[in-house]
């Protein structure tokens, strides 16, 4: 099975296999991939549904990262600014809805 790029977002097709997904991941994600796979694979009984969910989730990350590496970099930089407190807090959901005239 191979991935087809989304319309308007060209990118390389990444086969949905453990080897192909791991190879397509940004270097910063490989350790997390390996750790999560080891946790699933070394269980007394391997949960095949969990293994499939694992591969699907990481395949999506690999496809998105390959389609737009710069966007992925920006997302991680923004996440770090939020974690470190360097990004000011935005409006709350209630404030956004109030501005739009929505009622909860």
């Amino acid at each position: 099975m191979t991935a087809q790029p989304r319309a308007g977002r060209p990118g390389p097709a990444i086969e949905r296999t453990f080897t192909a997904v791991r190879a397509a991941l940004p270097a910063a994600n490989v350790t997390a991939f390996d750790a999560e796979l080891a946790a699933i694979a070394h269980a007394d009984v391997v949960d095949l549904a969990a293994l499939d969910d694992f591969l699907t989730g990481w395949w999506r990350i690999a496809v998105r990262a390959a389609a737009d590496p710069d966007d992925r970099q920006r997302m991680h930089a923004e996440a770090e600014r939020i974690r470190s407190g360097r990004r000011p807090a935005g409006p709350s959901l209630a404030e956004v809805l109030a501005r739009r005239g929505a009622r909860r």
Side-chain angles (χ1 to χ4, degrees):
M1 172 186 253
T2 59
Q4 299 301 316
R6 282 191 210 171
R9 292 181 88 183
I14 297 171
E15 191 175 349
R16 195 176 167 271
T17 65
F18 294 99
T19 304
V21 168
R22 187 180 188 280
L25 287 172
N29 294 116
V30 172
T31 301
F33 176 94
D34 290 344
E36 191 175 339
L37 179 57
I40 294 169
H42 291 110
D44 290 336
V45 176
V46 176
D47 180 346
L48 296 180
L51 195 58
D52 187 56
D53 289 345
F54 162 83
L55 183 57
T56 299
W58 281 105
W59 174 78
R60 287 180 180 148
I61 290 169
V63 168
R64 288 179 186 140
D68 192 348
D70 293 336
D71 184 54
R72 187 106 179 127
Q73 285 280 46
R74 285 188 300 275
M75 185 265 307
H76 280 290
E78 184 68 11
E80 181 54 34
R81 282 192 292 279
I82 291 168
R83 264 194 301 275
S84 69
R86 291 179 289 152
R87 181 180 181 265
S92 69
L93 177 59
E95 292 167 332
V96 171
L97 292 174
R99 275 191 246 148
R100 293 182 179 188
R103 293 180 191 209
R104 290 181 106 177

